Amino acid sequence: FKQRDLQFQPSGSPPSLLQSASPATSLKEHSCRALLGPDGRTPGLPQNLGMTIGQRGSLPSQLSTTSAGAVGKLGLTGGEMDEGDSGFMKLKPASEDVVSLAPSATESVFVEDVQFASLRNELETDAREFAAQSWSLAVEQSYVKQQERDVIKRQDVIYELMRTEMRHVRTLKIMLKVYSQAIREELQFSNSDIHRLFPCVDDLLELHRAFLFQLKERRKESLEEGSECNYIIQNIGDVLVQQFSGKTGNKMKEKYGIYCSSHSDAVSYYKELMQQSKKFQNLIKKISNSSVVRRLGVQECNLLVTQRIMKYPVLVERIIQNTEVTTKEYEDLTKALSLIKEAITAVDTKVNESEKQQRLREIVTKMELKSSGKFKNGLIFRKEDMLQRRLLLAGMLYWKAASGRLKDILAVLLTDVLLLLQEKDQKYMFASLDSKPPVISLQKLI
């Protein structure tokens, strides 16, 4: 055999989003006030994690040391797309916020101010807490000048971790509490259809809201006595270890595995709906124009979510670079980095398996209706039997026939058999190769 092409091509890198920055002049004031709520306490973790009925709706950075396989398979590269940098959710005049999501006046009318008031306030509160672009701008300048350069660098990266986590939670809220809920209520989509568009987004929101709450609690605990905004976080590694280990860590692997492996199908389904359903198209257009989502479309949201888990190693590595080696914090951060990479590898494995099974289904669909082949011992192998196995590898080979002529052969390696297929009239059939069996058992080859 001469191998011609046995590789799956990684998916393309997603485009970057336009980003905007809030004016720096008022950032410090907003950030200081946001650390403590109006009653002098840090805003707590919302009680309802995931889907809420009373509100309208919510619902893959190249790593310097992360497994190259995981990065390549997910098809994600760092810094290409982020969750948006603007700190404030800007309010529109009331007249601009009244948006009908229905295609005609006879159908239900979607009023943004009424339906999104609670969510808008929630998002604005989150944004105000992290309005500053960096820790250096969030605390008082006199306080910054008292710190060593390494301390400032470390705090800036920790702040970036918290700020991007806030934006990630915002993205998940928009998916679950805007798009998902509106599609369910306005178009009467079933739970399975919603899950196909936004796989397990409610579970991801629950995981990340809890994580963001822990990060904010650590910030609150680190406040200087008598100050509302000056703080230095001494330890963050233990919070990261908690998020990526044990029950929570397993749930992160599971839910991101489902989400990332379902990404291609979600994109295809969305495009199909946009092409075939005028009502769906109008609904998405009107939602995306509302100020609460700020033109963050379904496709952009999906890409941002697939990218998030790939960003953690880069941030943690930068924190480690500005942490003393002999400390417990360094040990915790190193452990957290290992756990994060382990999670990424698990997600990558799930994506890999999903892609291969999809490829196997495509091959079976393309085969002749009653196509079958024989083992060397004469036993029949039908195309239906292929779906009872897992695809390990598929690619084109050249088979040199007795006549010296080279034939194009699709080799399909399953868990216990190797299949040799030929294409004719855009259909696959079991190959006829000089009386050689097209189905080869692997059980006795080792």
Side-chain angles (χ1 to χ4, degrees):
F1 293 143
K2 294 183 180 180
Q3 183 175 0
R4 191 171 79 184
D5 183 7
L6 292 177
Q7 295 183 346
F8 293 98
Q9 297 297 323
S11 59
S13 301
S16 59
L17 288 178
L18 294 177
Q19 299 178 334
S20 60
S22 301
T25 53
S26 60
L27 297 182
K28 181 169 61 181
E29 178 184 354
H30 281 286
S31 299
C32 291
R33 289 206 305 265
L35 281 180
L36 300 177
D39 57 354
R41 295 176 297 179
T42 300
L45 179 66
Q47 296 298 315
N48 296 324
L49 300 179
M51 183 72 74
T52 57
I53 299 176
Q55 299 174 358
R56 261 286 208 218
S58 152
L59 264 174
S61 73
Q62 285 188 351
L63 315 178
S64 58
T65 58
T66 304
S67 165
V71 178
K73 200 60 193 176
L74 287 175
L76 304 174
T77 55
E80 292 178 337
M81 178 177 282
D82 207 346
E83 291 89 337
D85 278 333
S86 54
F88 300 101
M89 301 295 294
K90 297 181 180 179
L91 292 171
K92 286 185 178 181
S95 60
E96 295 180 18
D97 281 342
V98 180
V99 181
S100 170
L101 297 185
S104 70
T106 59
E107 297 180 345
S108 60
V109 176
F110 185 81
V111 182
E112 181 185 326
D113 275 342
V114 175
Q115 302 295 343
F116 287 161
S118 177
L119 177 60
R120 184 197 301 279
N121 292 335
E122 194 176 324
L123 296 179
E124 288 175 352
T125 299
D126 291 341
R128 280 194 295 269
E129 287 194 63
F130 296 96
Q133 297 292 316
S134 66
W135 174 86
S136 303
L137 296 174
V139 300
E140 295 174 349
Q141 291 305 297
S142 59
Y143 187 71
V144 176
K145 292 177 181 179
Q146 299 173 20
Q147 312 306 324
E148 297 291 336
R149 184 177 180 182
D150 288 346
V151 173
I152 296 174
K153 285 184 177 180
R154 176 179 152 86
Q155 295 305 310
D156 277 341
V157 181
I158 294 174
Y159 183 87
E160 183 180 350
L161 169 65
M162 293 190 293
R163 191 167 186 258
T164 55
E165 190 68 19
M166 176 275 295
R167 293 201 298 259
H168 184 56
V169 169
R170 181 188 67 195
T171 299
L172 291 169
K173 286 179 180 178
I174 288 173
M175 295 175 76
L176 187 63
K177 296 186 175 184
V178 179
Y179 286 109
S180 176
Q181 191 74 5
I183 291 170
R184 185 192 307 276
E185 295 183 1
E186 300 295 323
L187 303 180
Q188 288 77 50
F189 272 38
S190 66
N191 288 336
S192 60
D193 287 334
I194 294 292
H195 181 79
R196 190 178 175 189
L197 277 172
F198 309 108
C200 61
V201 171
D202 51 344
D203 294 318
L204 289 175
L205 178 57
E206 180 179 354
L207 284 166
H208 286 280
R209 288 176 89 172
F211 184 37
L212 179 60
F213 175 76
Q214 293 301 323
L215 293 173
K216 289 161 69 173
E217 281 294 292
R218 181 57 51 89
R219 181 181 62 173
K220 176 187 175 183
E221 296 166 2
S222 304
L223 280 170
E224 297 287 352
E225 187 176 354
S227 174
E228 294 185 352
C229 65
N230 293 334
Y231 67 92
I232 291 179
I233 296 177
Q234 300 292 347
N235 299 298
I236 198 71
D238 58 327
V239 178
L240 288 162
V241 169
Q242 181 181 349
Q243 182 69 15
F244 288 92
S245 63
K247 185 177 179 180
T248 303
N250 290 334
K251 199 170 183 181
M252 288 283 286
K253 294 176 188 176
E254 177 192 354
K255 299 308 176 182
Y256 270 100
I258 294 173
Y259 192 94
C260 293
S261 62
S262 304
H263 178 67
S264 294
D265 181 65
V267 170
S268 298
Y269 186 44
Y270 174 79
K271 290 180 178 179
E272 177 186 324
L273 289 170
M274 289 294 285
Q275 291 175 354
Q276 299 180 2
S277 173
K278 191 68 175 178
K279 288 184 178 180
F280 183 86
Q281 186 182 118
N282 289 336
L283 179 63
I284 295 298
K285 181 179 179 181
K286 291 177 181 180
I287 294 176
S288 63
N289 285 333
S290 69
S291 62
V292 74
V293 303
R294 298 162 65 242
R295 298 189 182 277
L296 192 60
V298 172
Q299 300 287 61
E300 290 83 359
C301 287
N302 274 325
L303 285 172
L304 290 171
V305 175
T306 58
Q307 281 191 320
R308 182 55 184 170
I309 195 170
M310 302 297 293
K311 294 181 181 292
Y312 290 117
V314 177
L315 292 167
V316 175
E317 285 170 356
R318 289 168 56 198
I319 298 174
I320 290 175
Q321 290 169 6
N322 295 284
T323 303
E324 291 186 23
V325 178
T326 57
T327 61
K328 176 67 164 55
E329 169 72 349
Y330 186 92
E331 181 182 333
D332 286 342
L333 287 170
T334 303
K335 181 179 180 181
L337 181 59
S338 177
L339 289 168
I340 292 168
K341 290 180 179 180
E342 181 183 313
I344 291 173
T345 300
V347 173
D348 173 61
T349 300
K350 181 72 174 178
V351 172
N352 188 293
E353 291 175 353
S354 177
E355 289 179 352
K356 287 180 178 179
Q357 287 307 110
Q358 177 59 31
R359 173 63 174 144
L360 180 59
R361 288 190 292 269
E362 291 172 357
I363 293 172
V364 172
T365 301
K366 198 175 177 181
M367 292 188 69
E368 290 286 354
L369 185 61
K370 297 183 179 181
S371 183
S372 64
K374 290 185 178 181
F375 288 94
K376 187 176 181 179
N377 61 9
L379 291 176
I380 302 296
F381 186 94
R382 296 177 175 81
K383 77 170 189 175
E384 293 82 4
D385 298 327
M386 296 171 65
L387 295 176
Q388 306 302 315
R389 295 162 168 81
R390 288 190 303 108
L391 175 66
L392 301 180
L393 194 64
M396 299 303 297
L397 300 174
Y398 287 126
W399 177 282
K400 188 174 183 180
S403 62
R405 182 180 176 184
L406 295 177
K407 293 185 177 181
D408 288 337
I409 299 296
L410 174 63
V412 180
L413 180 63
L414 304 179
T415 47
D416 61 343
V417 293
L418 173 64
L419 308 180
L420 303 176
L421 308 177
Q422 281 181 297
E423 185 175 5
K424 183 178 180 181
D425 298 329
Q426 298 184 340
K427 289 285 186 179
Y428 287 127
M429 62 185 65
F430 287 93
S432 176
L433 304 166
D434 302 325
S435 301
K436 303 293 183 183
V439 184
I440 303 171
S441 175
L442 304 179
Q443 294 180 350
K444 297 182 180 180
L445 291 183
I446 301 177

Short mmCIF file of all heavy atoms in Angstrom, two decimals, residues 390-422:
data_model
loop_
_atom_site.label_atom_id
_atom_site.label_comp_id
_atom_site.label_asym_id
_atom_site.label_seq_id
_atom_site.Cartn_x
_atom_site.Cartn_y
_atom_site.Cartn_z
N ARG A 390 -16.47 1.70 15.90
CA ARG A 390 -15.94 3.05 15.92
C ARG A 390 -14.90 3.22 14.82
O ARG A 390 -14.10 2.32 14.55
CB ARG A 390 -15.28 3.37 17.27
CG ARG A 390 -16.25 3.54 18.40
CD ARG A 390 -15.55 4.08 19.64
NE ARG A 390 -14.46 3.23 20.10
CZ ARG A 390 -13.17 3.55 19.98
NH1 ARG A 390 -12.79 4.69 19.40
NH2 ARG A 390 -12.24 2.73 20.42
N LEU A 391 -14.92 4.37 14.19
CA LEU A 391 -13.93 4.68 13.18
C LEU A 391 -12.64 5.12 13.85
O LEU A 391 -12.63 6.00 14.71
CB LEU A 391 -14.44 5.81 12.26
CG LEU A 391 -13.45 6.32 11.21
CD1 LEU A 391 -13.14 5.24 10.19
CD2 LEU A 391 -14.00 7.56 10.53
N LEU A 392 -11.52 4.50 13.45
CA LEU A 392 -10.21 4.89 13.97
C LEU A 392 -9.47 5.77 12.97
O LEU A 392 -8.81 6.73 13.35
CB LEU A 392 -9.38 3.64 14.28
CG LEU A 392 -9.98 2.66 15.30
CD1 LEU A 392 -9.05 1.47 15.50
CD2 LEU A 392 -10.25 3.37 16.62
N LEU A 393 -9.62 5.44 11.68
CA LEU A 393 -8.92 6.19 10.65
C LEU A 393 -9.55 5.92 9.30
O LEU A 393 -10.03 4.81 9.04
CB LEU A 393 -7.44 5.78 10.62
CG LEU A 393 -6.46 6.69 9.85
CD1 LEU A 393 -6.39 8.06 10.49
CD2 LEU A 393 -5.08 6.06 9.81
N ALA A 394 -9.56 6.91 8.44
CA ALA A 394 -10.06 6.74 7.08
C ALA A 394 -9.25 7.62 6.15
O ALA A 394 -8.95 8.77 6.46
CB ALA A 394 -11.55 7.11 6.99
N GLY A 395 -8.85 7.05 5.02
CA GLY A 395 -8.05 7.83 4.08
C GLY A 395 -7.86 7.07 2.78
O GLY A 395 -8.17 5.88 2.68
N MET A 396 -7.35 7.76 1.77
CA MET A 396 -7.17 7.18 0.45
C MET A 396 -5.81 6.48 0.33
O MET A 396 -4.80 6.95 0.85
CB MET A 396 -7.29 8.26 -0.61
CG MET A 396 -8.63 8.96 -0.66
SD MET A 396 -10.04 7.85 -0.90
CE MET A 396 -9.67 7.18 -2.53
N LEU A 397 -5.84 5.33 -0.35
CA LEU A 397 -4.63 4.56 -0.65
C LEU A 397 -4.57 4.28 -2.14
O LEU A 397 -5.59 4.31 -2.85
CB LEU A 397 -4.63 3.22 0.09
CG LEU A 397 -4.68 3.23 1.61
CD1 LEU A 397 -4.81 1.79 2.12
CD2 LEU A 397 -3.45 3.88 2.19
N TYR A 398 -3.36 4.00 -2.62
CA TYR A 398 -3.20 3.48 -3.97
C TYR A 398 -3.00 1.97 -3.86
O TYR A 398 -2.14 1.49 -3.13
CB TYR A 398 -1.97 4.09 -4.65
CG TYR A 398 -2.13 5.53 -5.06
CD1 TYR A 398 -1.22 6.50 -4.65
CD2 TYR A 398 -3.19 5.92 -5.87
CE1 TYR A 398 -1.36 7.81 -5.03
CE2 TYR A 398 -3.34 7.24 -6.27
CZ TYR A 398 -2.43 8.18 -5.84
OH TYR A 398 -2.56 9.48 -6.22
N TRP A 399 -3.80 1.21 -4.60
CA TRP A 399 -3.65 -0.25 -4.65
C TRP A 399 -3.08 -0.62 -6.02
O TRP A 399 -3.66 -0.29 -7.06
CB TRP A 399 -5.01 -0.93 -4.44
CG TRP A 399 -4.94 -2.43 -4.54
CD1 TRP A 399 -4.88 -3.18 -5.67
CD2 TRP A 399 -4.92 -3.35 -3.46
NE1 TRP A 399 -4.83 -4.50 -5.37
CE2 TRP A 399 -4.84 -4.64 -4.01
CE3 TRP A 399 -4.96 -3.20 -2.07
CZ2 TRP A 399 -4.81 -5.79 -3.22
CZ3 TRP A 399 -4.92 -4.34 -1.29
CH2 TRP A 399 -4.86 -5.62 -1.86
N LYS A 400 -1.95 -1.30 -5.97
CA LYS A 400 -1.33 -1.70 -7.23
C LYS A 400 -1.88 -3.06 -7.65
O LYS A 400 -1.62 -4.09 -7.03
CB LYS A 400 0.20 -1.78 -7.07
CG LYS A 400 0.92 -2.01 -8.39
CD LYS A 400 2.43 -1.93 -8.21
CE LYS A 400 3.14 -2.09 -9.55
NZ LYS A 400 4.62 -2.03 -9.39
N ALA A 401 -2.65 -3.08 -8.71
CA ALA A 401 -3.28 -4.31 -9.19
C ALA A 401 -2.25 -5.19 -9.89
O ALA A 401 -1.12 -4.78 -10.17
CB ALA A 401 -4.42 -3.96 -10.15
N ALA A 402 -2.65 -6.43 -10.18
CA ALA A 402 -1.75 -7.38 -10.84
C ALA A 402 -1.31 -6.86 -12.20
O ALA A 402 -0.21 -7.16 -12.68
CB ALA A 402 -2.44 -8.73 -10.99
N SER A 403 -2.16 -6.06 -12.80
CA SER A 403 -1.83 -5.51 -14.12
C SER A 403 -0.82 -4.37 -14.03
O SER A 403 -0.34 -3.89 -15.05
CB SER A 403 -3.11 -5.00 -14.79
OG SER A 403 -3.69 -3.96 -14.01
N GLY A 404 -0.51 -3.96 -12.81
CA GLY A 404 0.41 -2.85 -12.63
C GLY A 404 -0.29 -1.51 -12.52
O GLY A 404 0.35 -0.49 -12.22
N ARG A 405 -1.58 -1.48 -12.71
CA ARG A 405 -2.35 -0.25 -12.65
C ARG A 405 -2.65 0.13 -11.18
O ARG A 405 -2.93 -0.74 -10.36
CB ARG A 405 -3.65 -0.43 -13.42
CG ARG A 405 -4.53 0.81 -13.47
CD ARG A 405 -5.79 0.49 -14.27
NE ARG A 405 -6.70 1.62 -14.27
CZ ARG A 405 -7.91 1.60 -14.82
NH1 ARG A 405 -8.34 0.49 -15.41
NH2 ARG A 405 -8.69 2.66 -14.80
N LEU A 406 -2.61 1.41 -10.87
CA LEU A 406 -2.91 1.89 -9.52
C LEU A 406 -4.38 2.26 -9.42
O LEU A 406 -4.93 2.95 -10.27
CB LEU A 406 -2.05 3.11 -9.18
CG LEU A 406 -0.54 2.87 -9.09
CD1 LEU A 406 0.18 4.18 -8.81
CD2 LEU A 406 -0.20 1.85 -8.01
N LYS A 407 -5.01 1.77 -8.37
CA LYS A 407 -6.42 2.06 -8.14
C LYS A 407 -6.58 2.90 -6.87
O LYS A 407 -5.87 2.69 -5.89
CB LYS A 407 -7.22 0.76 -7.99
CG LYS A 407 -7.31 -0.07 -9.25
CD LYS A 407 -8.21 -1.26 -9.03
CE LYS A 407 -8.37 -2.09 -10.31
NZ LYS A 407 -9.28 -3.26 -10.08
N ASP A 408 -7.54 3.83 -6.91
CA ASP A 408 -7.86 4.62 -5.73
C ASP A 408 -8.74 3.80 -4.80
O ASP A 408 -9.81 3.34 -5.19
CB ASP A 408 -8.61 5.90 -6.11
CG ASP A 408 -7.70 6.91 -6.78
OD1 ASP A 408 -6.48 6.83 -6.57
OD2 ASP A 408 -8.21 7.78 -7.53
N ILE A 409 -8.28 3.63 -3.58
CA ILE A 409 -9.01 2.85 -2.59
C ILE A 409 -9.20 3.67 -1.32
O ILE A 409 -8.27 4.31 -0.83
CB ILE A 409 -8.25 1.54 -2.24
CG1 ILE A 409 -8.08 0.66 -3.46
CG2 ILE A 409 -8.96 0.78 -1.11
CD1 ILE A 409 -9.39 0.14 -4.03
N LEU A 410 -10.42 3.67 -0.78
CA LEU A 410 -10.67 4.29 0.51
C LEU A 410 -10.52 3.22 1.57
O LEU A 410 -11.30 2.26 1.63
CB LEU A 410 -12.09 4.88 0.55
CG LEU A 410 -12.51 5.45 1.92
CD1 LEU A 410 -11.62 6.62 2.32
CD2 LEU A 410 -13.98 5.86 1.92
N ALA A 411 -9.50 3.36 2.39
CA ALA A 411 -9.28 2.43 3.51
C ALA A 411 -9.98 2.96 4.74
O ALA A 411 -9.78 4.10 5.15
CB ALA A 411 -7.79 2.28 3.77
N VAL A 412 -10.84 2.12 5.33
CA VAL A 412 -11.61 2.50 6.52
C VAL A 412 -11.22 1.55 7.65
O VAL A 412 -11.56 0.37 7.63
CB VAL A 412 -13.13 2.43 6.25
CG1 VAL A 412 -13.91 2.82 7.49
CG2 VAL A 412 -13.50 3.31 5.07
N LEU A 413 -10.49 2.09 8.61
CA LEU A 413 -10.04 1.27 9.75
C LEU A 413 -11.03 1.43 10.90
O LEU A 413 -11.16 2.51 11.48
CB LEU A 413 -8.64 1.71 10.18
CG LEU A 413 -8.03 0.96 11.37
CD1 LEU A 413 -7.84 -0.53 11.02
CD2 LEU A 413 -6.69 1.58 11.76
N LEU A 414 -11.72 0.33 11.22
CA LEU A 414 -12.67 0.32 12.33
C LEU A 414 -12.02 -0.41 13.53
O LEU A 414 -10.86 -0.80 13.45
CB LEU A 414 -13.97 -0.35 11.91
CG LEU A 414 -14.66 0.28 10.68
CD1 LEU A 414 -15.93 -0.49 10.34
CD2 LEU A 414 -14.97 1.74 10.92
N THR A 415 -12.76 -0.58 14.59
CA THR A 415 -12.18 -1.15 15.81
C THR A 415 -11.62 -2.55 15.61
O THR A 415 -10.61 -2.90 16.23
CB THR A 415 -13.24 -1.18 16.92
OG1 THR A 415 -14.46 -1.72 16.41
CG2 THR A 415 -13.50 0.21 17.47
N ASP A 416 -12.24 -3.36 14.75
CA ASP A 416 -11.76 -4.74 14.59
C ASP A 416 -11.64 -5.19 13.14
O ASP A 416 -11.31 -6.35 12.88
CB ASP A 416 -12.68 -5.70 15.34
CG ASP A 416 -14.11 -5.67 14.82
OD1 ASP A 416 -14.46 -4.68 14.12
OD2 ASP A 416 -14.89 -6.59 15.10
N VAL A 417 -11.92 -4.30 12.19
CA VAL A 417 -11.80 -4.68 10.78
C VAL A 417 -11.22 -3.54 9.96
O VAL A 417 -11.32 -2.36 10.35
CB VAL A 417 -13.18 -5.07 10.17
CG1 VAL A 417 -13.72 -6.34 10.78
CG2 VAL A 417 -14.17 -3.93 10.30
N LEU A 418 -10.62 -3.90 8.83
CA LEU A 418 -10.16 -2.93 7.84
C LEU A 418 -10.97 -3.14 6.58
O LEU A 418 -11.02 -4.26 6.04
CB LEU A 418 -8.67 -3.13 7.54
CG LEU A 418 -8.09 -2.29 6.39
CD1 LEU A 418 -8.15 -0.80 6.76
CD2 LEU A 418 -6.65 -2.70 6.09
N LEU A 419 -11.63 -2.08 6.11
CA LEU A 419 -12.47 -2.16 4.93
C LEU A 419 -11.78 -1.45 3.77
O LEU A 419 -11.17 -0.39 3.94
CB LEU A 419 -13.83 -1.50 5.17
CG LEU A 419 -14.61 -1.96 6.41
CD1 LEU A 419 -15.92 -1.20 6.50
CD2 LEU A 419 -14.85 -3.46 6.37
N LEU A 420 -11.88 -2.05 2.58
CA LEU A 420 -11.33 -1.46 1.37
C LEU A 420 -12.50 -1.15 0.44
O LEU A 420 -13.21 -2.05 -0.01
CB LEU A 420 -10.35 -2.43 0.70
CG LEU A 420 -9.17 -2.89 1.58
CD1 LEU A 420 -8.33 -3.92 0.85
CD2 LEU A 420 -8.34 -1.70 2.01
N LEU A 421 -12.71 0.13 0.17
CA LEU A 421 -13.86 0.58 -0.61
C LEU A 421 -13.41 1.27 -1.88
O LEU A 421 -12.35 1.90 -1.92
CB LEU A 421 -14.73 1.53 0.21
CG LEU A 421 -15.18 1.06 1.60
CD1 LEU A 421 -15.98 2.16 2.29
CD2 LEU A 421 -16.00 -0.22 1.50
N GLN A 422 -14.24 1.17 -2.90
CA GLN A 422 -14.02 1.88 -4.17
C GLN A 422 -15.20 2.81 -4.43
O GLN A 422 -16.32 2.52 -4.02
CB GLN A 422 -13.90 0.90 -5.34
CG GLN A 422 -12.56 0.22 -5.46
CD GLN A 422 -12.52 -0.71 -6.66
OE1 GLN A 422 -13.25 -1.70 -6.73
NE2 GLN A 422 -11.66 -0.40 -7.63
#
